[in-house]
C-alpha cells in the first residue's frame, strides 16, 4: 500500500480518543516544558427511522454527481479495493457507541470510486454549500431534515457586526466531558471573553462541526438557557458519565463537600459538589452552530469496519468517539470483506469524511488505507500521524535538489569574510544524549574585570533554506519537527537536520550569535547580534554537564567525556560550565523574583529496546540544574531577539505572546483551594509560582499534593501563540504571562521550528504573510505536542500490557459522584477510578493518598486503574 499523502490538508486540533479514553484529560498546558522555557501549553444521535432501499438508492443517485469533487485518497488495487492485511492474533475491540442501533436505510453512500479529485479549499464556500440550503426542501422521497441549513456568509457577516452571533474555535478541551462521545447530548463552547459558559444542547445544535473547526454560533432566547451539572470533568469522560440538565428556572443549590466516603458517592448523587470542575450548577448561554468558517479538523479518523448485510456500503466506527460513524462504499473495502468480515475485526483502517448531509446522522466517506492490526505500535502510530495531519512522507527530489550537491560541504571563502570568526573560542553544546539535531551552543569566557562574555550560538538554517524555493515551501508547511517516543518526523531533510546545520563537534558551522557582557549576577552590560562561524569543541549531554556541576573540584579524565578539541583542555570546558551555572542561577532567581511562573508537570520517559524499539521500562524525567542552565540562556537569547526585531520591524516582527489564564476557571480553582484550606494566591503568575514553591514542604505527601495542584493550575492556562506585531495593535497584548516579559519570540531552534527561521530572516515581505504563517505555526505546534503525548500514551499502554499490572501510590485530584480522578505518582498519568470497581468503604477527598494498580484491559492498548484494598497494600 502506498503511504497516504498528508500534504495540503486542513489542520486538526483534536486529540485522538480510544487508545487511552480514561486517561485523557485534554491537552497538557505546562508553562515551561521546552529547553528554551516557553509554554507548551491539557455523538451520534440515535438512528433515524428506517428508510426503504428504494429511497436509499434514489438518494444515492441524487448525490453521486455532487460527491465527485470531494477528496478521496488513492488505493492500490484495481477497482479501488484495499489489499487484505496480514492476519494476526485476534483481539477484542471496543465497540462504537450505539453500534447495535444501526438500522436499514441510513446512508446515501454513492461515491464513484474512479472519480478522484483534489480536496476543495476551506472557508465559507465549501463549508456552506448551496446544496445544504436546498437539499431537503420537501418533495417526493425526501428524507427528514436532521440539521438546520447554514446561514449565508452575508447573514453571518451582518450578525457578527450586530453582536447577534459569536465566532470561535470549536475546541473540545473547553467542553464538558460528555462531548468525548459523539452520541452525547450536552457540551460546552468556549466564549472569547471568558465571562460565561456557552452551552450546546445536543448534537443537532453542533450542526456537523468537528473539533478544531472555526464556527459561528447563534445565541438562543434566554428562557431556553439551562443549568448543567455533570459528574465529569471538562477534559475526559467515560460512556457512563451523564450530565444533569435543568432549565434556568429550576436551578437547585448544591451542597459543598470536600470529603465523602465511597459508599456515599455511590448512593447520593445530589450531595456531591463538583466545584473543582468548571460546569457545576451555573446558568449557561444556549447556542447553536449556524456556520462553519473553516474546517480545521482533518476529517480523517482511524477505526474499524462493520459489515452490513445486503447493503452497498460498510459502517466505519472511528476510535475517536467525537467523530461520527461513516458509511463507506464496499468498493473501498478489501476484496473479501463481504464474505469474511470477521477477518477484519482487529484491523485498523483510515477513513476520511467526504460529506455529511443535513438529512443524515451518518457521514459519508472514503476508506483510504488499511493500517494493520490494532494495538501494535507502528499501525497505531501511523494512524495518529495521519489523523493529526503530520506529513511523514519522504522529501521529494525537487526538495532534495535544493540541498548542497558537493559533499562533504565546506563553508565558501566569501561567506567566511562576511561573518565573525569564533572558531577559536571555547564553544560547546549541551543536549540530550540521543540528540542529533543540535540547534544551539554556548560559550562563557571570564574577562579581566571579573565580568563574563557569554554567547548563545544558533544554527543559521536560513542560509540553507532559501526563501520561496521548494525546500522553504515544505518546511513552512510542516512548520515543526514532531517528536515521538521512538522517532522524529523532521521538518527539514536529515542532511540539514543532522549534518550541515547541526552544530556537531570539531567541524565548522554557520551560526547566528548573541553575545553579551554580563556581570556575575547576570546584569547585561553590552549586547551584540550577528552572523558568525563556530567550531564546537565538544558535544556534552545533560548528564555530562550535571556531573561537572555536581563535582566542581573534580578533574575529569578523557574517558569520562566525549572527544574534546585539543585546543581546549577539559578543565577549561569544566570551568565554563561552572561559570554558566552560577550566572544561570542568578538569572533564574531574578526571573522568579520579577514575577515569572513555571509549572513543571511529571513527564514520562521510556527505555526502548534498540532492536525492536519496544518499551523495556519507563521513568519520570528529572529536570536538573544542567537543564536549567541551558533554559536560562535560551530564554535570555529569545527575549533579547524579540526586543531587537521589534525595534527594527515594529510592524512585521514575529513574536510569541502568552495570554493570561481563563479568569473564570481560576476563580473556581481559588474557591476550591479556599474550601480545602490551601493557601494559594492565583492573582498573578509570580504569586502563583511563589505559592506553589513556598507553601509546601519536602515530605512525600506534600510533594505529591504539589504535583496535583500543579496539574490543577495548568488547566486554566492558555496556549502561547505566535503573532505578527502589525496585527495585534495593543502592545499590552504582546506580553508573555508565564515569563512575565513584555516581548518574547522563538529564535533558538530553527532546525525544528519554522517560526525561528522567520525570526532569523526578518525578511517577511508583507504583514499578511507573516500573520498567516504565524497562525499555521500555532496549529502545527499544537498538533505536534498532541502527537508527542499520544505517542507516549501508546508506548505506556504497551508497557502496561507487557509488564503489568503496575502498582503505584496515587493522589486524588478530584472527587465526583461515582468516581474520582487520581494522579499516579510513579508514572505521572491521570486515571479515573469508579466506585463500582470495589466494595470496601474508604474516605476519599482531594489530596487523599491511595494505592492503585494499573492493569491492561481486553481492548487494545487500553488500561484501567483500580483502587487496592488497604489490606492488599499492607501485604
Amino acid at each position: 500500500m502506498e503511504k497516504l499523502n498528508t500534504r495540503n490538508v486542513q489542520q486538526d486540533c483534536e486529540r485522538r480518543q480510544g487508545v487511552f479514553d480514561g486517561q485523557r484529560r485534554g491537552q497538557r498546558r505546562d508553562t515551561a516544558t521546552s529547553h528554551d522555557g516557553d509554554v507548551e501549553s491539557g455523538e451520534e444521535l440515535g438512528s433515524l427511522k428506517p428508510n426503504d432501499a428504494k429511497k436509499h438508492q434514489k438518494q444515492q443517485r441524487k448525490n453521486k454527481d455532487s460527491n465527485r469533487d470531494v477528496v478521496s485518497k488513492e488505493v492500490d488495487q484495481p477497482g479501488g479495493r484495499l489489499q487484505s492485511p496480514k492476519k494476526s492474533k485476534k483481539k477484542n475491540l471496543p465497540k462504537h457507541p450505539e453500534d447495535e442501533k444501526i438500522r436499514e436505510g441510513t446512508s446515501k453512500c454513492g461515491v464513484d470510486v474512479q472519480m478522484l479529485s483534489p480536496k476543495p479549499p476551506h472557508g465559507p464556500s465549501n463549508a456552506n454549500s448551496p446544496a445544504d440550503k436546498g437539499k431537503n426542501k420537501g418533495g417526493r422521497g425526501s428524507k427528514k431534515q436532521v440539521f438546520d441549513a447554514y446561514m449565508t456568509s452575508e447573514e453571518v457577516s451582518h450578525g457578527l457586526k450586530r453582536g447577534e452571533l459569536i465566532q470561535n474555535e470549536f475546541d473540545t478541551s473547553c467542553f464538558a466531558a460528555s462531548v468525548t462521545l459523539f452520541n452525547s447530548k450536552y457540551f460546552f463552547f468556549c466564549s472569547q471573553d471568558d465571562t460565561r459558559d456557552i452551552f450546546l444542547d445536543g448534537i443537532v445544535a453542533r450542526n456537523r462541526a468537528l473539533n478544531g473547526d472555526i464556527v459561528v454560533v447563534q445565541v438562543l432566547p434566554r428562557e431556553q438557557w439551562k443549568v448543567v451539572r455533570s459528574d465529569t470533568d471538562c477534559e475526559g469522560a467515560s460512556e457512563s458519565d451523564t450530565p444533569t440538565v435543568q432549565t434556568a428556572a429550576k436551578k437547585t443549590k448544591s451542597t459543598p463537600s470536600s470529603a465523602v466516603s465511597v459508599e456515599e458517592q455511590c448512593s447520593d448523587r445530589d450531595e456531591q459538589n463538583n466545584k473543582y470542575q468548571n460546569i457545576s450548577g451555573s446558568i449557561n448561554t444556549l447556542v447553536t452552530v449556524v456556520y462553519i468558517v473553516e474546517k480545521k479538523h482533518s476529517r480523517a479518523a482511524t477505526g474499524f469496519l462493520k459489515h452490513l448485510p445486503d447493503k452497498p456500503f460498510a459502517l466505519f466506527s472511528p476510535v475517536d468517539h467525537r467523530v461520527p460513524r461513516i458509511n463507506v462504499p464496499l468498493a473501498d473495502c478489501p476484496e473479501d470483506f463481504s464474505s469474511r468480515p470477521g477477518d477484519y475485526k482487529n484491523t485498523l483502517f483510515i477513513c476520511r469524511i467526504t460529506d455529511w448531509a443535513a438529512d443524515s446522522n451518518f457521514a459519508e466517506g472514503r476508506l483510504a488505507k488499511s493500517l494493520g492490526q490494532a494495538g501494535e505500535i507502528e499501525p497505531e502510530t501511523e494512524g495518529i500521524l495521519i489523523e493529526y495531519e503530520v506529513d511523514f512522507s519522504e522529501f521529494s527530489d525537487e526538495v532534495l535538489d535544493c540541498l548542497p550537491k558537493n559533499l562533504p560541504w565546506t563553508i565558501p571563502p566569501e561567506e567566511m569574510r562576511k561573518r565573525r570568526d569564533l572558531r577559536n573560542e571555547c564553544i560547546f553544546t549541551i543536549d540530550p544524549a540521543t540528540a542529533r539535531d543540535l540547534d544551539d551552543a554556548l560559550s562563557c569566557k571570564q574577562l579581566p574585570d571579573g565580568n563574563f562574555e557569554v554567547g548563545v550560538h544558533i544554527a543559521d538554517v536560513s542560509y540553507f533554506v532559501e526563501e520561496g524555493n521548494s525546500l522553504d515551501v515544505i518546511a513552512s508547511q510542516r512548520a515543526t519537527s514532531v517528536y515521538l517516543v521512538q522517532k522524529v518526523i523532521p521538518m527539514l531533510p536529515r542532511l540539514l537536520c543532522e549534518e550541515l546545520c547541526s552544530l556537531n563537534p570539531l567541524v565548522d558551522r554557520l551560526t547566528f550569535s548573541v553575545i553579551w557582557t554580563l556581570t556575575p549576577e547576570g546584569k547585561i552590560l553590552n549586547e551584540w547580534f550577528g552572523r558568525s562561524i563556530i567550531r564546537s569543541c565538544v558535544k556534552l549531554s545533560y548528564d555530562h554537564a550535571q556531573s561537572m556541576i555536581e563535582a566542581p573540584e573534580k578533574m575529569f579524565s578523557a574517558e569520562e567525556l566525549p572527544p574534546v578539541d585539543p585546543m581546549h583542555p577539559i578543565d577549561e570546558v569544566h570551568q565554563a560550565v561552572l561559570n554558566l551555572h552560577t550566572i544561570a542561577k542568578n538569572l533564574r532567581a531574578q526571573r522568579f523574583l520579577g514575577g515569572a511562573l513555571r509549572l513543571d508537570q511529571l513527564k514520562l520517559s521510556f527505555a526502548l529496546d534498540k532492536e525492536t524499539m519496544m518499551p523495556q521500562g519507563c521513568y519520570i524525567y528529572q529536570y536538573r540544574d544542567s537543564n536549567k542552565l541551558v533554559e536560562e540562556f535560551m530564554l535570555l537569547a529569545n527575549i533579547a531577539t524579540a526586543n531587537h526585531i521589534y525595534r527594527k520591524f515594529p510592524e512585521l516582527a514575529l513574536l510569541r505572546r502568552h495570554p493570561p489564564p481563563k479568569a473564570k476557571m481560576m476563580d473556581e480553582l481559588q474557591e476550591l483551594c479556599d474550601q480545602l484550606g490551601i493557601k494559594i494566591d492565583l492573582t498573578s503568575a509570580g504569586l502563583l509560582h511563589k505559592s506553589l514553591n513556598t507553601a509546601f514542604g519536602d515530605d512525600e505527601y506534600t510533594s505529591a499534593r504539589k504535583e496535583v495542584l500543579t496539574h490543577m493550575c495548568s488547566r486554566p492556562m492558555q496556549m502561547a501563540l505566535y503573532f505578527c506585531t502589525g496585527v495585534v495593535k495593543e502592545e499590552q497584548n504582546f506580553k508573555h504571562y508565564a515569563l512575565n516579559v513584555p516581548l518574547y519570540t522563538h529564535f533558538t531552534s530553527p532546525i525544528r521550528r519554522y517560526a525561528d527561521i522567520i525570526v532569523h530572516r526578518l525578511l517577511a515581505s508583507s504583514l499578511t504573510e507573516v500573520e498567516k504563517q504565524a497562525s499555521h505555526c500555532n496549529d502545527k505546534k499544537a498538533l505536534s505536542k498532541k502527537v508527542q503525548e499520544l505517542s507516549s500514551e501508546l508506548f505506556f499502554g504497551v508497557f502496561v500490557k507487557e509488564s503489568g499490572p503496575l502498582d503505584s501510590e496515587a493522589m486524588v485530584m478530584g472527587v465526583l459522584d461515582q468516581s474520582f480522578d487520581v494522579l499516579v505518582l510513579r508514572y505521572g498519568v491521570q486515571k479515573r477510578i469508579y466506585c463500582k470497581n470495589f466494595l470496601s468503604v474508604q474516605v476519599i477527598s482531594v489530596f487523599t493518598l491511595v494505592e492503585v494498580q494499573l492493569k491492561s484491559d481486553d481492548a487494545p492498548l487500553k488500561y484501567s486503574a483500580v483502587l487496592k484494598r488497604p489490606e492488599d497494600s499492607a501485604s
Side-chain angles (χ1 to χ4, degrees):
M1 303 296 296
E2 293 182 359
K3 292 274 186 192
L4 180 63
N5 183 3
T6 59
R7 299 179 190 175
N8 303 320
V9 287
Q10 299 122 9
Q11 310 306 305
D12 173 14
C13 297
E14 87 178 43
R15 168 167 293 184
R16 178 176 177 268
Q17 300 285 324
V19 179
F20 292 94
D21 246 353
Q23 177 183 348
R24 294 180 183 154
R25 298 292 178 265
Q27 182 169 292
R28 286 170 59 127
R29 300 189 178 181
D30 310 336
T31 59
T33 57
S34 62
H35 84 153
D36 52 6
D38 190 32
V39 174
E40 307 293 349
S41 26
E43 281 179 33
E44 169 81 48
L45 282 176
S47 299
L48 291 177
K49 295 180 179 179
N51 296 284
D52 58 58
K54 290 184 178 179
K55 187 181 295 183
H56 161 72
Q57 292 169 0
K58 182 175 181 180
Q59 190 69 27
Q60 187 179 46
R61 289 193 299 270
K62 177 181 177 181
N63 288 279
K64 186 169 184 177
D65 290 336
S66 65
N67 281 329
R68 290 187 179 186
D69 63 341
V70 297
V71 65
S72 179
K73 298 299 176 182
E74 296 179 357
V75 291
D76 289 337
Q77 301 303 306
R81 290 192 179 274
L82 295 171
Q83 290 179 335
S84 302
K86 294 180 181 180
K87 308 296 187 294
S88 69
K89 186 177 179 180
K90 296 287 191 294
K91 302 174 185 176
N92 294 324
L93 296 177
K95 292 184 178 179
H96 194 286
E98 300 198 16
D99 265 353
E100 300 306 319
K101 295 184 180 180
I102 307 294
R103 301 180 184 176
E104 296 183 4
T106 54
S107 169
K108 304 193 293 95
C109 189
V111 182
D112 188 340
V113 176
Q114 303 302 321
M115 293 299 178
L116 306 177
S117 65
K119 197 169 187 176
H122 305 167
S125 60
N126 79 318
N128 303 276
S129 168
D132 283 337
K133 297 287 287 184
K135 187 181 293 183
N136 300 285
K137 293 295 184 181
R140 226 176 134 182
S142 64
K143 296 170 67 175
K144 181 180 178 181
Q145 189 90 353
V146 178
F147 301 102
D148 289 337
Y150 294 128
M151 287 184 174
T152 66
S153 58
E154 292 78 9
E155 291 171 334
V156 168
S157 178
H158 292 316
L160 290 172
K161 289 178 181 178
R162 292 193 297 263
E164 298 168 353
L165 303 177
I166 301 170
Q167 178 176 318
N168 206 349
E169 179 182 353
F170 195 80
D171 182 1
T172 57
S173 67
C174 300
F175 300 160
S178 52
V179 80
T180 60
L181 299 182
F182 195 79
N183 64 347
S184 300
K185 189 175 180 183
Y186 311 109
F187 43 91
F188 289 80
F189 180 80
C190 297
S191 64
Q192 287 180 319
D193 58 8
D194 191 32
T195 59
R196 54 182 170 171
D197 286 330
I198 299 179
F199 176 65
L200 292 96
D201 185 4
I203 187 58
V204 171
R206 184 171 174 174
N207 205 356
R208 293 164 287 170
L210 296 182
N211 184 54
D213 289 351
I214 306 300
V215 301
V216 174
V217 297
Q218 184 176 42
V219 179
L220 298 180
R222 187 177 181 86
E223 57 268 19
Q224 297 183 34
W225 294 6
K226 297 190 177 183
V227 177
V228 176
R229 295 190 305 110
S230 169
D231 87 343
T232 62
D233 68 15
C234 67
E235 299 190 46
S238 78
E239 297 182 34
S240 61
D241 294 322
T242 305
T244 303
V245 179
Q246 301 170 331
T247 63
K250 296 182 179 180
K251 180 180 177 183
T252 59
K253 183 178 180 181
S254 59
T255 305
S257 172
S258 60
V260 294
S261 71
V262 170
E263 214 171 50
E264 290 171 329
Q265 291 179 44
C266 296
S267 62
D268 193 353
R269 172 182 295 265
D270 292 331
E271 289 294 318
Q272 174 59 34
N273 161 337
N274 295 319
K275 278 293 185 181
Y276 95 104
Q277 291 139 106
N278 305 325
I279 56 173
S280 48
S282 58
I283 299 178
N284 299 282
T285 306
L286 196 65
V287 299
T288 184
V289 173
V290 296
Y291 191 80
I292 300 178
V293 178
E294 183 179 359
K295 293 181 178 179
K296 282 199 170 185
H297 187 281
S298 68
R299 267 59 183 174
T302 58
F304 304 95
L305 283 178
K306 179 174 181 178
H307 183 247
L308 302 177
D310 303 322
K311 299 295 178 186
F313 53 87
L315 184 71
F316 180 84
S317 295
V319 171
D320 184 347
H321 293 162
R322 296 171 298 180
V323 179
R325 286 173 291 173
I326 306 166
N327 292 324
V328 298
L330 282 177
D332 282 8
C333 302
E335 281 189 55
D336 58 348
F337 174 71
S338 295
S339 59
R340 302 175 62 89
D343 291 354
Y344 299 91
K345 180 180 180 182
N346 304 302
T347 303
L348 200 62
F349 293 90
I350 278 283
C351 183
R352 194 174 294 273
I353 294 174
T354 58
D355 186 33
W356 191 358
D359 59 6
S360 177
N361 293 317
F362 297 87
E364 296 175 10
R366 300 300 303 271
L367 210 58
K369 186 175 183 181
S370 169
L371 296 172
Q373 294 299 298
E376 296 179 0
I377 282 180
E378 285 310 311
E380 296 278 359
T381 297
E382 185 174 352
I384 292 171
L385 294 174
I386 293 173
E387 282 191 40
Y388 287 87
E389 307 290 4
V390 175
D391 183 357
F392 57 95
S393 62
E394 297 296 326
F395 289 97
S396 68
D397 291 340
E398 185 180 7
V399 169
L400 297 178
D401 284 343
C402 299
L403 302 177
K405 299 295 189 300
N406 298 322
L407 301 176
W409 178 83
T410 57
I411 300 173
E414 60 272 19
E415 191 64 32
M416 290 272 199
R417 292 190 290 269
K418 298 176 184 177
R419 295 172 178 261
R420 182 170 174 176
D421 192 346
L422 302 173
R423 288 176 292 174
N424 292 328
E425 300 294 327
C426 180
I427 298 175
F428 48 87
T429 60
I430 304 176
D431 287 279
T434 58
R436 292 186 290 182
D437 50 349
L438 311 182
D439 289 281
D440 53 89
L442 294 166
S443 61
C444 184
K445 179 172 62 178
Q446 188 161 17
L447 302 175
D449 60 2
N451 294 319
F452 294 90
E453 182 180 272
V454 175
V456 171
H457 315 277
I458 306 301
D460 189 357
V461 178
S462 61
Y463 175 85
F464 296 96
V465 183
E466 181 182 342
E467 188 172 8
N469 69 7
S470 298
L471 175 59
D472 184 47
V473 170
I474 192 64
S476 68
Q477 289 173 355
R478 293 193 177 197
T480 180
S481 295
V482 180
Y483 291 81
L484 308 175
V485 169
Q486 78 279 32
K487 60 184 175 182
V488 178
I489 311 298
M491 180 182 75
L492 297 169
R494 295 193 185 279
L495 177 63
L496 293 184
C497 288
E498 299 175 7
E499 296 185 45
L500 303 188
C501 293
S502 184
L503 305 184
N504 298 327
L506 309 179
V507 291
D508 295 350
R509 288 292 179 255
L510 300 177
T511 50
F512 201 111
S513 297
V514 188
I515 299 175
W516 302 277
T517 301
L518 298 176
T519 68
E521 295 75 30
K523 182 181 178 181
I524 298 175
L525 303 177
N526 189 37
E527 182 177 83
W528 178 86
F529 284 88
R531 296 185 183 273
S532 56
I533 302 172
I534 71 164
R535 182 183 178 90
S536 172
C537 65
V538 63
K539 175 189 175 183
L540 297 177
S541 69
Y542 283 116
D543 289 336
H544 294 136
Q546 189 65 31
S547 298
M548 292 179 170
I549 292 170
E550 293 176 353
E553 305 299 326
K554 179 178 177 179
M555 298 294 294
F556 285 85
S557 65
E559 292 74 23
E560 295 177 275
L561 297 172
V564 180
D565 189 330
M567 285 183 59
H568 302 285
I570 293 175
D571 60 341
E572 181 184 3
V573 176
H574 188 183
Q575 189 59 52
V577 170
L578 292 175
N579 290 338
L580 287 170
H581 172 58
T582 299
I583 299 170
K585 285 196 301 182
N586 291 330
L587 289 171
R588 188 177 182 85
Q590 291 169 26
R591 279 202 306 113
F592 291 124
L593 282 174
L597 166 67
R598 184 182 178 96
L599 295 178
D600 285 319
Q601 298 186 50
L602 300 175
K603 181 181 178 182
L604 189 61
S605 296
F606 295 88
L608 303 181
D609 184 279
K610 292 183 179 179
E611 298 294 330
T612 66
M613 300 305 288
M614 292 289 286
Q616 300 298 302
C618 63
Y619 56 94
I620 297 297
Y621 184 79
Q622 297 298 312
Y623 184 74
R624 299 176 295 176
D625 286 339
S626 55
N627 303 84
K628 297 174 184 177
L629 182 160
V630 174
E631 179 189 36
E632 285 307 315
F633 290 105
M634 297 305 108
L635 283 171
L636 194 65
N638 285 334
I639 293 169
T641 304
N643 284 276
H644 181 81
I645 64 174
Y646 183 52
R647 286 194 302 268
K648 297 289 185 180
F649 304 98
E651 295 296 317
L652 289 177
L654 180 67
L655 302 183
R656 188 163 173 83
R657 64 189 178 92
H658 183 209
K662 292 187 173 294
K664 189 172 186 296
M665 296 178 69
M666 292 292 272
D667 290 343
E668 290 165 350
L669 178 59
Q670 184 72 68
E671 184 179 353
L672 170 67
C673 292
D674 291 344
Q675 289 178 356
L676 296 173
I678 298 172
K679 293 183 178 179
I680 188 168
D681 192 336
L682 304 176
T683 54
S684 70
L687 291 174
L688 171 56
H689 182 87
K690 182 178 180 181
S691 297
L692 288 174
N693 289 276
T694 59
F696 300 96
D698 296 327
D699 62 280
E700 184 177 347
Y701 174 77
T702 52
S703 296
R705 191 167 71 160
K706 179 184 175 183
E707 294 292 350
V708 170
L709 272 173
T710 298
H711 277 261
M712 290 179 172
C713 291
S714 72
R715 288 174 174 172
M717 296 296 165
Q718 301 195 66
M719 294 289 290
L721 300 168
Y722 298 111
F723 71 101
C724 178
T725 51
V727 172
V728 180
K729 298 301 181 183
E730 297 294 330
E731 193 167 321
Q732 63 188 26
N733 293 328
F734 294 6
K735 184 177 179 179
H736 197 291
Y737 170 81
L739 297 174
N740 196 33
V741 293
L743 299 174
Y744 189 70
T745 194
H746 273 169
F747 160 75
T748 54
S749 296
I751 292 177
R752 63 184 177 91
R753 291 188 307 229
Y754 189 78
D756 300 52
I757 295 179
I758 295 179
V759 170
H760 278 225
R761 287 173 175 163
L762 303 177
L763 296 173
S765 59
S766 73
L767 180 65
T768 303
E769 288 181 12
V770 175
E771 180 61 19
K772 182 177 180 181
Q773 188 63 51
S775 176
H776 181 63
C777 288
N778 289 332
D779 292 339
K780 283 297 185 181
K781 187 165 182 63
L783 293 180
S784 170
K785 181 167 171 48
K786 291 178 182 177
V787 168
Q788 183 177 355
E789 291 172 354
L790 289 175
S791 177
S792 179
E793 292 175 359
L794 170 61
F795 273 76
F796 190 60
V798 172
F799 183 70
V800 173
K801 179 182 177 182
E802 299 297 329
S803 305
L806 307 176
D807 294 340
S808 174
E809 194 170 42
M811 180 169 279
V812 176
M813 296 184 64
V815 180
L816 312 174
D817 286 357
Q818 300 187 39
S819 59
F820 56 93
D821 292 335
V822 297
L823 176 66
V824 183
L825 298 173
R826 182 172 296 173
Y827 303 108
V829 298
Q830 298 177 49
K831 293 296 290 181
R832 177 162 293 174
I833 297 177
Y834 293 90
C835 306
K836 61 185 178 183
N837 292 339
F838 52 91
L839 300 176
S840 61
V841 176
Q842 182 177 352
V843 175
I844 298 294
S845 66
V846 176
F847 304 125
T848 295
L849 279 173
V850 295
E851 292 288 334
V852 300
Q853 186 174 84
L854 305 179
K855 56 183 182 179
S856 183
D857 294 341
D858 292 335
L861 301 183
K862 287 191 176 183
Y863 68 98
S864 57
V866 295
L867 189 67
K868 295 184 68 177
R869 299 172 185 269
E871 56 268 24
D872 294 339
S873 302
S875 62

